[in-house]
Amino acid sequence: MSLSSSASSSPNVILPGETVAEGPVQQEFEIITSGLQAPPDGAPITKKKLTVDQLKKIEEGKASVAEIYHNKPVHVPRKYQLDLFEKAKMRNTIAVMDTGTGKTLIAVLVIKHVLAMENERRKSGGTKRLVFFLVPTVPLVFQQKDYMQHQIIGQVMPLCGELIGESFQRADWQKIVNEKDVICATPQILVHALNHAFISMDQISMLIFDEAHNATGDHPYAVLMKEHYRTTPPAQRPKIFGLTASPVNSAAQPERALAELEYLLHSTAITILINSEVRQYAARAKPHVVEYVRRSPSLPQPPLFQKLSAIQNRLLGLKKIVKDAKIMLNELGPWCCERNLWMSLESMQKSKERVMSLDMDAALKGSRMIADPVRQLLDECRHMYPAPVPAIDAISPKVATLIQLLESYQDDAAFCGIVFVQRRDTAERLGELLRGLPPLQRFLRVGVLMGHAIDDVYRMTMKMTEQFQTVREFRKGKLNLLVATKVAEEGLDIPACKLVVRFNLGRDSMNLVNYIQSRGRARARDAKFVLMREKDNEEHTIIVEDMRWREYEVRESLRTRSIKVEEVEREEMGWDAVSLAPPYKYIVDKTGATVTLTSALPILHHFVSTQERDQYTPPPRAEYSLMITPEGLWKASVMLPATVPVEGRFSVGKPMQSKALANRMAAYEAVKKLHQLGLLDDNLSPIVDTTRVKTKRSDEFLERQKEQEELNQLKGKKKKRHYPTKVPDLLLQPWAPVGNSPYIVAHLNVIDTTQFERAPVAQDFGFLTISPLPVSPLIFPIWPLMAEVNVRIVTSPTPVHLTVGQYAVLKRYHSLLMGALLKHFEGDAQQAYVVVPIRVGDSSRPMEFRATDPSYMINWELAQSAATFDPKAHRYRLRSEKALEFVVQDNGHWGRKYIPLEIVDKTPFDEVPFEDAKFKCAADYYTTKKNDRIRREKPLIKAKLVSRKVNMLAYYNIAQNEAVESKTAGEVFLIPQFCEVYPIPTSTMTGAAILPSVLYFVELIYKAHELRLKLDLPVELPQLLTAITAPSATMQFNYERYETLGDSFLKMALTLHLFANHPHRSEGLLSMYMSNLQSNHSLFKAATLKKMQGYVIATKLSRTTWKPIVVRDPNAEELQITEVTDGKDKASVTQLLSDKQVADTVEAILGACYDSRNIRGAAQALHNIYHEMFAVDWNDYYRLVRIDDGPVPPERQITVDKVQELFGYRFKHPRLLLEAFTHPTSANRSGVPCYQRLEFLGDAVLGFLAVRLFFYRHKELPPGRLVDLKDAAVNNAFLACVSANLGLHQHLEHFSSPLADAISDFCNELYRVAEQRKTGNTTTLLPDPSRAPKTKAEQKAMEEERKKEVQYWMDIEAPKAVSDIFEAMCGAIWLDSELDVEVVWDALQRTWLPWVNAYIQPHLVGRHPYREMAMMLRRQGCDEWRVPTKHDSTEGLFVANLIVHGEVVCLEYGTSRKSARKALAEMALEMVKEDPNLIKGRCNCVGVEAEEEEVGTPGAQELDIFRRVGGVGGGGEVAAVPIPAG
């Protein structure tokens, strides 16, 4: 049937009421085809075998043989396409054209025109805008994208839900706007983005609607136009171009339906007249009716069908299977019926097994204890399995008629056809039947094409791939017959067919669009369009005639009507109920995000789907309830899952005219409430964790943005930067008279040392500083000679007044003494301190300032003697015993200073016993150039080099110092000829070896003092000094233990802050906020804002790099030091720090402040360092928390009484206790929230108390072992064991049968294993501590030996809910006690601590798998790894990924983030054990070897040097609790 009965010699575009235009059409822009070049003239044609597709094109007249061989492009605009393109440039247009007439090419021409105009507009300062090509199905997204990217110059991007899901945010869309030009997408993607204000309509230059006839009702096309396009000011609206073969998709009058479509799309429908040019591309086939006889109901039914029909009510889901099989029996016959029954049963069995696989224990138990009815039924019916090839009597008459029709094409080598069916299972079974019949196998290659399921991401992706493959094979001729559903009717690039069959007729099977679209596939020469009509079926006859007549009406209406779009009043149209409802619209002012009755349901559904759950909780959903008002209207309410805060859980909508509208209104009110409570952001998106992870069901993996990648990363140890080292201001004060006074005012600091139990010994040197020491006396240990020596420095209470001359004398003495000890020394510069000689009495006892004037204590005679010392006047000493009284300077060896030991009566050429064997005599020790000047004179001076052991601040530096000393400090023999006397007595120089360590430590004390004042920190100086000292400084102490304590406090404080300030946030959101606030990146930023980097002590004291602080001239230009990031400038005023070291320092300071001033002190430090929003007085947080004081339901009073007795605590607010025992699945209507928020709170306080316990109990343990103990004491398995033994699970309020079974199984297994331990042959529970392992190998062996014996709960799968209620109880007690952690501790001593004392001991707990994995990665040299963890809503579990250099190595699931990471670590360690090159094959890092810890070795224990003086580690000892029997 043609579009018009009239024909003309050339096609013309027809507008309503417009005459036909003649003459050539002038194009503003030419179609770009330069990408495809034709061969040069005269080039030989290479003969090659033609494909079936090419033969079809030649036969149908679409291409010549020359075009095929030359590969000339066929997408050249035709005359009528150019005409329609010109019209589309001028106005919004709907192009109504038959399939095959080239609608898409017109769209490409329009896109090119719009892009060109947009380019000119941007040159004039306009903003970037996009073109959206919208298609109704996912396969069309990729098909149209592939077509367009070869036709236009610009960036084309496909977008659909399968690619991006719900994860795209505003930043992602803005990136697309900036980088792309054309977006090919499904319409829901754009509607979603507009609803959430990720993109606005004024950022779109054009909208193209493919298959525009779908724009009806609630289709996203219609929603897009009604709710977004029409609400946009006209000047900001994009152009519109619609494409369709049939603009009418309903039973309405064509004129009315066309008017509605034009009004909705704000466009004018345009068609083309049919002439000879158009006819060769448009559909030619006329409908042919083929009749068949209906299968007689009296024929026997298949045995399998009879059996299942008899028992269909006994098995859930079987009734639908039988119903579908009955349809199959009548349509296709007995063979297809039985085949469909069998496939459905197998599919049911696989689905059941897949559900059971989520809980393997339950699956195994079920296979042992309960017979599977589906599997049993399959076994019983095995003998009824259908034959591989259907018999003649097993085929319906309808199929037999189809076979006869197909057999008529058996001699056509170029045949291809499509059989359209209504149902997917019909397509599958009919395809199997046709493929299996031998007579058809000779000439038919049958494929099946249908849509993909939308309920399963994995299956959907596979189905989509199969769909593409099937279409591709059909185009290439590998398949020549498709059995297809309506998915093949529109859009897909399917070649012209010779036969198209509509297998099903009926009102539900075919409408006008189906009719026109499927007929459009029959475009080949002599093609047939066959309608299979049942004989004597009046309905089928009416449908066939109705389709023919309605198509004619539509075409005539397009050609002849004169009605204009503007004349069509909205009230006259058949608008849907939503459109007729009042204009409910909620707009977020800040972003413009919008929710309406149409968009409310998907927004609410998405929010609900993001709620976290465990594997025992059903997928969350919104529950709707309906009621009828007295006025006869419908009113709906919606209840959200229990994980949603109580305030936002229930919403009621306004009365509406229908049930559907009432539900929409309830969802609309719920979305408004969720946004107002802050549970939806200003883009109306759920506030969820955006961590991208790989799961078992999805291969989606995208890298985080740069800042997000820095969260929770431990790999920053190698990414270091140079920062200026902060010099304390008190040490930069100049040595100059103050005001009009002629004196320099300074303070004298005297030194005495104590070794072992001996009496203190005063040193004959001290030092002057302008300011007194921040702490006096200052006591600290050093290790000068392989033994600990305590140094005590006392500052004079009254200052010393120096004249300028006296200062010059003392400065000269300081230069002589320190210059002999240090390699780099600026003797002429003013320095922060001046070393001076001290008068020491005969008893060498420390002098008291109270009895002595500070000025008198300075040995002025010795200082003056050194300052005026003339070496020439003392040369006589070099040849006598007097040489032993002073240091000797050897000018023959670069002025080195030596301590003389003995005068030897030998000449330089006599043999003497050098420690270095290469020297035989003293002459050999000097350079050869001086041999001719060496005099044969006696004596020689036996001497040793002045000590180079600068760093004496840690005993593990001694071995290194001794190694350096042994190379250069051996005994030598000096020739007096080349020496001179140095003006420092030997005794003074020997003792002065400790000065660099002493002065360096003083600098650190000043630095800590300045930081304490700067940040107003409530902490003692020794603790603060420990907290700012990194391990890289190789001091006897470092911040690692404090960092562990501070980390646990920080988590507790942040948890409380979030809990109190975000009362409506769920546990999942609070955890996400926590991750950001507690991340190394956030801590680093906070420290940077406070300029704390310069105070971190990360550089080792070294003779080659350290020198006394130089005081700059105050009148000179200030030295500007900037952060160095390129690593090239390594001046001594900078130090190398990693971001993690800076972040760790913040946590360590919190730990030090807690050690000094408890919680109040640590809270003050957090307030001062991190942010002022954190409260110092935690009563401020308590006042923010709203606690429910409602009554306790009578049925739950027994829970309150028993639990209070168990924990030894009586609640002031008993409903807090009930909340701790309320599971998310609870059906209680008393308004008690679920325990998740309390569990979030309790996890933090329990973790802190556990770390505090082990910090003070095991003061000798390194921080890694503290973390191991803490993890062992608070992990899910241990807490579940404690909780079950306490019987807490008996009070858990829940409504989940799987959870009840899991708890029962866990408790039974826990009891069974515990009883076996009591009666079995086990070793002593607590072995002798002397058996503690000495090496890593012994430790691992013992861990494996005792794991099954001691920590017997570890191998039992524990439901997370059992451990959650214990943590929730901790949170409830903490909250009820007005945030008193000691009250929580009292409760833990009754319940938790006895178990810890019995089982969580250093010799019983091994290294945590996650830490083991981290060390393994460092040993393998990898520094670029991370472990993102996220809740997988599909599985109801958390999934953790190990990502090495951007590649997912492995993934594992767990009931919590911690358990998922632990399981992942165990898997990774096992994988590396099997494949040692697993990591190295992915890594290009320059690794750092991990330092192995050996239990019990001194090198692994960070000792506390301030323990003796009441500093770190003092106080807070936890009282022992008796160990329970057994």
Side-chain angles (χ1 to χ4, degrees), residues 1215-1251:
R1215 284 174 73 90
L1216 279 175
L1217 186 149
L1218 296 183
E1219 183 178 341
F1221 286 88
T1222 303
H1223 191 263
T1225 61
S1226 171
N1228 80 84
R1229 296 298 176 181
S1230 57
V1232 178
C1234 71
Y1235 61 59
Q1236 289 181 336
R1237 279 175 55 87
L1238 282 181
E1239 182 257 329
F1240 172 73
L1241 194 65
D1243 172 73
V1245 69
L1246 177 60
F1248 168 74
L1249 291 173
V1251 171

Side-chain angles (χ1 to χ4, degrees), residues 899-916:
I899 303 294
L901 302 175
E902 181 184 353
I903 301 299
V904 179
D905 188 25
K906 290 186 179 292
T907 68
F909 298 96
D910 293 337
E911 186 173 347
V912 288
F914 271 90
E915 291 188 7
D916 192 340

